[in-house]
Amino acid sequence: MLDMAVKAAVIMSDPTRLGFLSLGVLFGLVVGVIPGLGGLVGLSLLLPFTFDMDPYTALAFMIGLSAVVVTSDTIPAILFGVPGTVGSAATILDGYPMARKGEAGRAFGAAFTASLLGGLFGAFLLGVSIPILQPFMLSVASPELLAFCIFGLSLVAVLGGGAPVKGFVAATAGLMLAMIGEDINTATSRFTMDTVYLSDGLPVVPIALGLFAIPEIADLVITRAKIAGDNKIGSKWSQLQGVKDVLTRPFLFLRCSFIGSLLGAIPGLGAAIIDWIAYGHAARSEKGADETFGKGDVRGVIASESSNNAKEGGALVPTVAFGVPGSASMALLLGAFLIHGLIPGPEMLSTRLDITYTLVWSIAIANILGAGVCFIFADQHAQNALIRIGILAPVVLAITFIGAYSASRSWGDIVVMLLVGLLGWLMKRLGWPRPPLILGFVLGVLVERYMFRSVSSYGWDWLSRPVVIAVLILTFIGIARPLYKKWRERQANPTPLTFKFTGVTLWPDTLFALVLAVIFGSCLVIARDWEFLARLVPQVIATGGLVFSLMVLVGRMFEFTAAPPDKPKVYMDIQADYGDLTMGEVFRRFGRYFLWVVLPLPVAIGIGLLPSLFLFLIGFMKIEAKERWPMILAVAVAVIAFCYVLFHLVLHIPWPQSYLGDVLPALRSNRYLNLF
């Protein structure tokens, strides 16, 4: 085995292979920065160019891209609160608040260091664990996958922050959104409203962008402030503090890297939940996390970034050992294997072990190169936090529009992003946690699929499998531990409980809970006519959501708390972070902002998406930001030219058809003008 590792190192030292690996790394960094693209799009673009390469070069080229996408996706997550890929969503929770406090450089330093070390850990684990993990991988079936999903859902209490019941409501709302579409077991259409778009279910990209990007940009537009406000972004060497933060917490990034590698090796879980599980683990295990996580704690950034990079090495384990792709990106890599005559399985662990170790070295080198490039330009990226919001907001929103559309290439993607964006802003203002919603959405389909397979194949015996028992015990401990901690604190400092009727107070928050209760109740009524297998999981979810929503409503009418009488319970603060702005002014500014966000959609239906975004950039910067024409035209032309080259000429995205294209069909016959 050591001989094969040395041989693979010699193979990878070839300048041509290193050149293609570096090219893949650079392309991966670009793909990761742009919201909505991700490694799947990048790999699908690179695959045709690998046909005439030798297997070592082809795999190095593709691994170079896939290994670093989750390194550069940190940049928009920290600077703008916009996930570059769904794997960086958890980074937003602490990375973006750090940028708001003027610590963008430190957040970058911690993120890139954790990504580098996590990626190297994943590569190391891949190199030594394939023979060891083979028996374990063969024992993983639907019951074990279901147990891991249940463990993921148990993190809702942690991600809910100080409002765990609201967290459960948000999680059930996410689970219910995941039920939209055609049921995979009975082909029953659920909540589709007879539309073709909804029959395939909702894609995760527009939901993630709407839930995080639109609300965060809204807050900056409402306050008319830069991302870093009046704070400095830190000195040129401030990222070294982030490096120190990681190196002084070795057990944190090692634990989270191990979580990422282990879960990445399990086919079917997906990258979208791994960083949440690692983040939830850190929030439970780190000292003082209850008070600081979600408010700009660098440990949250370390946990998320170390896990999402380590998962790449883990995802290669089932791909190489059994021909079972550990993720969607690995499915494309498996395609490259077959193109070059490589058969995953025993052959890759014996006669072609040099290929396997080529992958290990490719991951390690790619992570070093990717982190190095990000470190070099981290200071320049951090300067973006000081850009005027009148310029920054329309640029980020324009790219977000295209990123959302690229999910399934439908107008519905943009509509979903806008609706979820409105929901996300209301949730943030009313004190409802958003992370549980996206976690519930990601896990919803998986829970239903694995539950059906587990019960169909094993009956209730699936609960007696050893791995399932172990994971469920860990889940129970994770849920019980914070409850036990609060009980101990209450025992140490006993405070009389108060119970009094307060009437229906805080009407926006109460109204929001009431609307959710009505929606869950309506889902129960709608689902009653479906087949049993189609309605079982949605009705269970809707019942849970209805119960939790009613708990919130009752909590608004009856105050049951151990807080001192002179310290009333605070449920929401719409004007939080808005300074001296009145509530009326906050809603007026948000209404104006949201009108701007919605406006490109009807214009795009008329003249095409890219031309409408060009007009949107000009209009927003001139009317809202009062910028000068030279700046407006320079920014608008640069952004649209970048999008045109990347999305139209390179990625060949089929743009949505508009009325202008119907009137002038000759435009669609021209390769360069086929934008309408």
Side-chain angles (χ1 to χ4, degrees):
M1 188 173 292
L2 182 60
D3 292 341
M4 287 295 102
V6 173
K7 179 181 178 181
V10 174
I11 291 172
M12 284 306 303
S13 65
D14 181 86
T16 301
R17 296 190 181 100
L18 288 176
F20 275 104
L21 175 66
S22 303
L23 185 62
V25 167
L26 292 176
F27 191 69
L29 293 175
V30 173
V31 169
V33 168
I34 301 173
L37 288 189
L40 192 62
V41 173
L43 287 175
S44 63
L45 181 66
L46 294 190
L47 186 59
F49 295 98
T50 65
F51 292 164
D52 296 325
M53 298 179 183
D54 63 81
Y56 305 105
T57 305
L59 294 178
F61 190 30
M62 298 186 72
I63 287 292
L65 181 144
S66 65
V68 300
V69 166
V70 287
T71 300
S72 60
D73 67 353
T74 306
I75 295 170
I78 290 176
L79 285 181
F80 316 126
V82 179
T85 68
V86 292
S88 66
T91 305
I92 294 173
L93 301 187
D94 286 290
Y96 185 63
M98 289 182 70
R100 295 294 303 271
K101 294 189 296 186
E103 296 183 323
R106 180 186 178 188
F108 281 144
F112 298 147
T113 304
S115 294
L116 170 61
L117 296 178
L120 293 177
F121 182 89
F124 172 78
L125 200 66
L126 171 65
V128 302
S129 65
I130 288 181
I132 301 172
L133 287 179
Q134 188 169 7
F136 172 77
M137 292 297 302
L138 292 174
S139 68
V140 172
S142 296
E144 286 75 21
L145 295 174
L146 177 59
F148 280 115
C149 291
I150 294 173
F151 175 77
L153 286 174
S154 72
L155 301 176
V156 166
V158 175
L159 299 177
V165 178
K166 286 184 174 181
F168 284 117
V169 177
T172 50
L175 288 166
M176 190 56 67
L177 285 176
M179 297 298 105
I180 295 175
E182 189 176 276
D183 174 41
I184 58 175
N185 301 315
T186 64
T188 301
S189 295
R190 303 185 301 194
F191 311 119
T192 60
M193 296 181 286
D194 296 325
T195 61
V196 175
Y197 174 75
L198 292 179
S199 63
D200 290 331
L202 296 174
V204 67
V205 171
I207 289 181
L209 292 176
L211 204 58
F212 293 104
I214 290 181
E216 302 303 340
I217 297 298
D219 286 352
L220 295 174
V221 171
I222 290 171
T223 56
R224 297 170 183 172
K226 302 165 186 167
I227 290 175
D230 296 326
N231 299 310
K232 296 181 179 180
I233 59 174
S235 67
K236 183 178 181 180
W237 305 103
S238 61
Q239 56 184 313
L240 293 180
Q241 177 60 44
V243 177
K244 181 180 177 182
D245 289 327
V246 179
L247 298 181
T248 54
R249 297 173 175 85
F251 295 110
L252 174 61
F253 78 75
L254 283 175
R255 292 198 314 270
C256 294
S257 296
F258 180 77
I259 290 173
S261 297
L262 178 63
L263 297 183
I266 299 175
L269 281 186
I273 68 170
I274 291 175
D275 59 330
W276 289 112
I277 292 178
Y279 184 89
H281 163 75
R284 284 175 173 170
S285 60
E286 289 296 298
K287 185 178 180 180
D290 294 344
E291 291 77 25
T292 58
F293 267 48
K295 301 176 182 178
D297 193 322
V298 71
R299 293 175 295 177
V301 175
I302 295 171
S304 172
E305 289 301 311
S306 58
S307 64
N308 63 25
N309 262 61
K311 78 176 186 300
E312 295 301 315
L316 274 170
V317 173
T319 307
V320 171
F322 316 115
V324 179
S327 65
S329 297
M330 290 301 107
L332 284 177
L333 194 66
L334 183 61
F337 281 3
L338 301 178
I339 288 172
H340 292 279
L342 301 173
I343 307 300
E347 181 181 337
M348 296 291 289
L349 304 178
S350 54
T351 57
R352 302 311 304 267
L353 200 57
D354 56 334
I355 293 286
T356 301
Y357 278 103
T358 298
L359 299 176
V360 175
W361 284 112
S362 297
I363 293 177
I365 297 172
N367 274 281
I368 294 172
L369 290 176
V373 171
C374 288
F375 269 119
I376 292 172
F377 294 101
D379 188 56
Q380 287 74 13
H381 287 309
Q383 296 292 333
N384 292 330
L386 300 177
I387 296 176
R388 296 189 298 275
I389 192 59
I391 296 176
L392 187 63
V395 171
V396 174
L397 289 172
I399 296 176
T400 300
F401 259 86
I402 299 178
Y405 171 75
S406 66
S408 61
R409 282 79 183 281
S410 170
W411 288 117
D413 295 333
I414 298 177
V415 174
V416 168
M417 183 190 71
L418 295 175
L419 293 177
V420 175
L422 177 61
L423 174 66
W425 186 80
L426 290 174
M427 291 179 69
K428 183 178 182 181
R429 290 299 102 203
L430 298 177
W432 290 71
R434 292 169 291 166
L437 191 149
I438 191 69
L439 180 63
F441 176 77
V442 170
L443 288 174
V445 175
L446 298 179
V447 167
E448 185 176 30
R449 178 185 300 142
Y450 297 141
M451 181 177 292
F452 174 78
R453 292 177 182 175
S454 300
V455 175
S456 299
S457 302
Y458 303 94
W460 291 107
D461 290 339
W462 72 272
L463 289 167
S464 63
R465 294 166 69 91
V467 175
V468 172
I469 293 174
V471 174
L472 292 181
I473 289 175
L474 289 175
T475 302
F476 175 77
I477 294 174
I479 295 174
R481 183 178 177 182
L483 298 177
Y484 176 74
K485 181 180 178 181
K486 288 186 178 181
W487 179 81
R488 288 289 302 271
E489 292 175 352
R490 185 168 296 173
Q491 291 296 110
N493 300 290
T495 305
L497 293 174
T498 61
F499 182 71
K500 62 180 181 179
F501 177 73
T502 59
V504 180
T505 57
L506 304 170
W507 68 267
D509 192 35
T510 306
L511 181 61
F512 189 78
L514 179 62
V515 170
L516 289 176
V518 171
I519 292 175
F520 285 123
S522 301
C523 291
L524 278 174
V525 174
I526 294 172
R528 65 184 180 182
D529 295 327
W530 299 339
E531 294 184 36
F532 175 75
L533 290 177
R535 72 171 185 265
L536 176 60
V537 175
Q539 285 188 328
V540 171
I541 295 170
T543 301
L546 181 60
V547 170
F548 290 129
S549 300
L550 292 177
M551 288 174 63
V552 175
L553 284 172
V554 171
R556 298 300 172 268
M557 300 174 64
F558 296 92
E559 187 172 298
F560 182 62
T561 178
D566 59 342
K567 189 178 180 181
K569 217 172 185 180
V570 177
Y571 297 105
M572 51 163 260
D573 187 0
I574 290 180
Q575 296 159 266
D577 305 325
Y578 289 157
D580 298 329
L581 295 178
T582 64
M583 188 181 299
E585 181 65 15
V586 168
F587 278 107
R588 189 189 70 80
R589 291 189 181 185
F590 175 76
R592 186 181 179 97
Y593 160 80
F594 196 71
L595 181 62
W596 274 107
V597 174
V598 172
L599 191 59
L601 180 58
V603 177
I605 294 175
I607 64 174
L609 182 58
L610 212 56
S612 75
L613 292 178
F614 181 70
L615 297 179
F616 165 73
L617 287 164
I618 292 176
F620 193 99
M621 285 188 285
K622 185 61 181 176
I623 298 174
E624 294 296 320
K626 305 293 191 297
E627 293 289 338
R628 296 185 177 183
W629 278 111
M631 174 64 74
I632 293 172
L633 293 177
V635 172
V637 170
V639 171
I640 297 303
F642 170 78
C643 294
Y644 176 79
V645 172
L646 178 62
F647 293 99
H648 186 72
L649 298 183
V650 177
L651 297 179
H652 304 293
I653 285 184
W655 299 103
Q657 295 189 357
S658 64
Y659 288 119
L660 180 60
D662 295 336
V663 174
L664 301 173
L667 295 175
R668 294 176 181 167
S669 62
N670 187 294
R671 174 192 172 191
Y672 299 101
L673 297 178
N674 187 20
L675 307 173
F676 312 96

